[in-house]
Every structure is written in C-alpha cells, then in structure tokens.
C-alpha cells in the first residue's frame, strides 16, 4: 500500500473489482515501525459494471441429429460484475455471414443446445459466447469451431465374410466404413448371427 502523509486523513483506493464487498483498515507508521491496525470499516460493495471477462473453453459437439451443442466454462461470481448476469451465445454455419444469437439467463449454465431440422450432421459452426448483466453486454470469446450432432451411420459395412476357425467359433470380417460427413464417426460394430 502507498504510504500517506501524516496530515492526510482521507485516501482513494483504486483498482478494486466491481460489485465486490470490501472492508478497510488503517495503520499508522513512523520511523520506529508500524502500529496496530484500526478496526475494520463496515462492509462496502463497489458499484456494478459491465462484465469484461468472457467464458473460456468454448467447445461442444455431439448431441443428436439436428442439434448443435455448445459448452463453455462458466464465469466465476467475482467476475460477473453485477446482478442479472447471463450468457450470450452466437453461432453461424462456417462460411456464413449472419450470426444467430441466443440468450442464456442462468448464471450456472455452461451449455446451450440449438435444435433445427435443417442442420445437416457434422456441420461445422463458428461459435462465440459472451456475457451480460444489468449494466450491459460485455466481452465475447474468440471464435471456436463446433460440429453439429451426427446421424446414425447411413452405410452398412461391406464385404462381410465368415470363416470357421473351430467347431464352436467363427471369425467374421468386413470392410470398415470410411469416415465422411454423412457417415459420421463409427465408434464400433456389432456382429449378429442367426
């Protein structure tokens, strides 16, 4: 802390965070040392301000067909800067110029799901998430790429064949389904017999 002239009885404390409760103490000092601190002042809350810290770890993906799932790391209470805090989610198909905007009014939220039958599976979207409170809209995150939900595989595995390896076992093999936007990511196969 800055040392204040002994004849001064008032000081302005700067660089405090908005909408945070503070209490203050004063200590006297001289060439011998520092005395005991005063009793704490009454709690004082600084004024609210527009939030300036955007959510981090913008990601998402997954979800069902025709869904765009967007997730983020929530902003901690001490960085919300006022009452009425919430999130602004903005997204657009990659290459588009028009943003779609949604408001998520819950402080605890860390996810937004957009549903629209026109979304094709595994489509890339540009996404950014911002913040607001009763004082106004704050900072937006940088743009992240998030993919819409995928559909079930639209192709069957080809070239299925079976080879008897013992009296009680058969080895089944097939050609894998190649990955593309329309087939999605194949996470596994199921072998059925009858």
């Amino acid at each position: 802390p800055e040392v204040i002239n002994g004849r001064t009885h008032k000081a302005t404390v700067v660089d405090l965070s908005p909408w945070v409760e503070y209490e203050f103490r004063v200590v006297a000092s001289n060439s011998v040392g520092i005395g005991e601190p005063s009793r704490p002042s009454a709690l004082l809350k600084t004024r609210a301000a527009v939030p300036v810290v955007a959510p981090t770890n913008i990601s998402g993906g997954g979800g069902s067909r025709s869904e765009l799932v967007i997730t983020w790391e929530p902003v901690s209470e001490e960085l919300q800067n006022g009452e009425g805090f919430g999130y602004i989610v903005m997204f657009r198909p990659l290459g588009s110029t028009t943003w779609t905007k949604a408001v998520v009014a819950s402080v605890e939220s860390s996810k937004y799901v957009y549903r629209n039958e026109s979304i094709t599976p595994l489509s890339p979207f540009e996404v950014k998430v911002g913040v607001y409170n009763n004082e106004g809209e704050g900072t937006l995150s940088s743009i992240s790429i998030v993919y819409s939900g995928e559909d079930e595989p639209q192709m069957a595995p080809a070239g299925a064949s079976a080879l008897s390896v013992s009296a009680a076992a058969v080895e089944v093999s097939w050609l894998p389904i190649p990955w593309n936007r329309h087939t999605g990511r194949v996470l596994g196969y199921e072998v059925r017999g009858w």
Side-chain angles (χ1 to χ4, degrees):
E2 184 180 332
V3 176
I4 300 167
N5 178 313
R7 290 185 287 276
T8 303
H9 303 279
K10 186 191 307 187
T12 302
V13 182
V14 295
D15 297 327
L16 301 177
S17 297
W19 202 57
V20 172
E21 286 185 327
Y22 289 93
E23 61 182 22
F24 301 92
R25 291 179 178 218
V26 179
V27 293
S29 67
N30 62 18
S31 60
V32 177
I34 297 175
E36 291 294 316
S38 68
R39 290 182 177 220
S41 68
L43 284 173
L44 176 74
K45 187 179 247 184
T46 52
R47 294 180 184 155
V50 173
V52 294
V53 176
T56 57
N57 297 326
I58 312 303
S59 62
S64 302
R65 176 173 166 65
S66 303
E67 285 185 348
L68 175 63
V69 178
I70 301 166
T71 59
W72 60 88
E73 190 76 34
V75 173
S76 61
E77 184 179 2
E78 62 270 12
L79 298 175
Q80 294 173 6
N81 292 2
E83 293 180 346
F85 184 84
Y87 299 97
I88 299 166
V89 180
M90 298 179 69
F91 55 94
R92 66 183 177 191
L94 187 64
S96 173
T97 57
T98 306
W99 291 94
T100 299
K101 182 178 179 180
V103 174
V104 179
S106 173
V107 174
E108 295 86 23
S109 290
S110 61
K111 179 179 181 179
Y112 174 75
V113 180
Y114 175 70
R115 292 175 182 86
N116 188 318
E117 290 300 318
S118 69
I119 297 176
T120 55
L122 288 175
S123 296
F125 282 80
E126 291 181 302
V127 173
K128 51 188 177 179
V129 181
V131 289
Y132 72 92
N133 65 17
N134 289 346
E135 302 300 310
E137 290 187 10
T139 308
L140 287 166
S141 68
S142 56
I143 293 175
S144 297
I145 302 297
V146 175
Y147 286 83
S148 61
E150 54 191 312
D151 203 354
E152 66 274 354
Q154 300 296 308
M155 298 172 57
S161 64
L163 175 66
S164 178
V165 291
S166 74
V170 172
E171 183 180 272
V172 180
S173 63
W174 59 90
L175 297 174
I177 297 174
W179 185 93
N180 68 47
R181 262 190 55 206
H182 303 291
T183 61
R185 297 166 292 194
V186 176
L187 300 178
Y189 296 93
E190 185 176 309
V191 178
R192 295 183 179 182
W194 57 93

